[in-house]
Amino acid sequence: MRWEERAGEILSLEASISDFEDMIRASENIFVILASLNDVEEALSEATSWLRNSKPYLVSSNCVSNSVRKVEDLQLLVSQSKHLKVSLEERRMLELVLNNCKKWECGAHSLLDDVQCLFELDNTVHGISSDLLFEVEDFIARIQSAIASGVSLGFDFSDISKLQASCSTLQWCKRALCFCNHSPSLEDVLDVVEGLSHSSVSGALLNVLVDGVEWLRRALEGISRPCNSRRCKLTDIQDILTDYR
C-alpha cells in the first residue's frame, strides 16, 4: 500500500499512536513531497500534547495535589479528546474519571439539599421530634462518608467545604438535641452557645435550637449564680418561665 493511501486510512480510522509513529518514520525514506505528512504529524503532535496534559488525571490521587486537579479542566480534556485522530485508551479512562466526578457532585448536591430541608423543618416549632436526633446522626454519617469519597477522588470539589460546614452545624445540632435527654451544666451550655457563633447556616430548626439553648443558658445562670453576686430578681425568673411556655 502506498504511503499516501495508508496515511489517509489511519487519519480516517483513528489508528493507534504507534501507527502514526511508523508512518512518520517511513516518510523519512521517501524523497518526494507527501501531501498528508503534515496532517499525520499534526495528529500525532495533538495526541502527544493531550496525553501530557492528561497525565495528572491518569495517576492515583495520592500522587498529585488536589489543587492541581480541577473538574473543569478534566471536562475540557474529555471534550478535546473527541477531536483527536489517534486512538488512545486514555480517552476512555478520562471519561470514566469524569463520570465518577459527576456522580459524586450529583450525590453531594442532593445531600446538601436534603440537609438544608432538615434545617428548614417547620414542624419543629411545635416541638422537637424524638426521632430528630437519629436523623441528625444519620446525616452526619452520610456527609462524612461523602467527604471521604470526594477527597479520595483527588479533585478540588467546591462542595467539600459546603459539606464540611453542614457537618459542623449538624454536630452542633446533635449536641444541642442531647440536652433533651439530660440536665446539662452551665459550662456545657455555654460551650454549645459558642459553637454556633461562626455558622453561616440558617433555618427553622436552628432557630428553635438556638432559642432553646439560649433559654437553658439564662435558666442555668439564674440557678448557678454565686451567693456573693447580684441576686436574681423574681421578675427575671418569671421572664424565664414565661419564655419556656
Side-chain angles (χ1 to χ4, degrees):
M1 182 181 293
R2 294 190 305 172
W3 191 95
E4 283 289 353
E5 292 176 350
R6 176 58 178 159
E9 183 180 271
I10 66 172
L11 286 169
S12 62
L13 297 179
E14 292 189 0
S16 68
I17 197 168
S18 61
D19 287 334
F20 279 82
E21 291 171 339
D22 289 343
M23 289 298 294
I24 292 175
R25 280 193 293 268
S27 71
E28 296 172 356
N29 298 319
I30 301 175
F31 302 101
V32 295
I33 295 176
L34 299 171
S36 301
L37 180 57
N38 285 341
D39 292 337
V40 172
E41 290 177 333
E42 183 178 345
L44 180 60
S45 175
E46 289 177 352
T48 302
S49 175
W50 184 88
L51 280 172
R52 182 171 57 253
N53 294 333
S54 301
K55 186 176 180 180
Y57 302 91
L58 295 169
V59 297
S60 170
S61 60
N62 296 326
C63 300
V64 294
S65 168
N66 288 5
S67 60
V68 175
R69 292 161 52 121
K70 308 285 186 181
V71 177
E72 296 80 5
D73 294 340
L74 173 60
Q75 195 160 6
L76 178 60
L77 285 167
V78 170
S79 178
Q80 291 172 344
S81 73
K82 300 182 186 303
H83 303 288
L84 296 176
K85 294 182 172 63
V86 180
S87 176
L88 298 170
E89 177 62 27
E90 289 81 358
R91 292 167 62 177
R92 287 172 283 277
M93 293 169 62
L94 244 60
E95 288 174 357
L96 178 60
V97 174
L98 180 60
N99 287 338
N100 289 337
C101 289
K102 292 298 183 182
K103 182 179 179 181
W104 183 89
E105 287 182 324
C106 182
H109 292 164
S110 178
L111 184 54
L112 286 168
D113 287 343
D114 290 345
V115 172
Q116 190 57 43
C117 287
L118 175 70
F119 289 148
E120 294 174 354
L121 277 177
D122 290 332
N123 60 355
T124 54
V125 298
H126 303 298
I128 299 296
S129 168
S130 59
D131 296 329
L132 188 56
L133 178 58
F134 299 104
E135 191 172 358
V136 167
E137 290 175 333
D138 179 64
F139 269 121
I140 291 173
R142 288 167 59 190
I143 289 178
Q144 289 175 338
S145 176
I147 291 173
S149 177
V151 170
S152 70
L153 288 173
F155 282 83
D156 185 24
F157 293 115
S158 60
D159 283 336
I160 287 182
S161 61
K162 296 177 184 177
L163 288 169
Q164 290 171 333
S166 293
C167 189
S168 177
T169 302
L170 285 167
Q171 293 280 12
W172 183 91
C173 291
K174 177 182 176 180
R175 294 183 65 190
L177 287 168
C178 285
F179 291 159
C180 298
N181 301 324
H182 71 279
S183 300
S185 66
L186 177 59
E187 290 74 16
D188 291 337
V189 173
L190 291 176
D191 188 40
V192 170
V193 169
E194 177 65 22
L196 196 65
S197 59
H198 303 296
S199 176
S200 60
V201 183
S202 61
L205 171 61
L206 291 179
N207 291 338
V208 170
L209 292 178
V210 168
D211 290 344
V213 171
E214 178 60 21
W215 183 90
L216 268 176
R217 181 191 65 78
R218 292 172 58 200
L220 289 172
E221 283 180 344
I223 296 172
S224 307
R225 195 180 302 278
C227 296
N228 59 354
S229 67
R230 182 182 65 85
R231 290 186 177 181
C232 187
K233 296 180 180 179
L234 179 60
T235 54
D236 294 336
I237 300 298
Q238 289 174 331
D239 289 342
I240 293 173
L241 292 175
T242 299
D243 290 342
Y244 177 75
R245 295 170 190 162

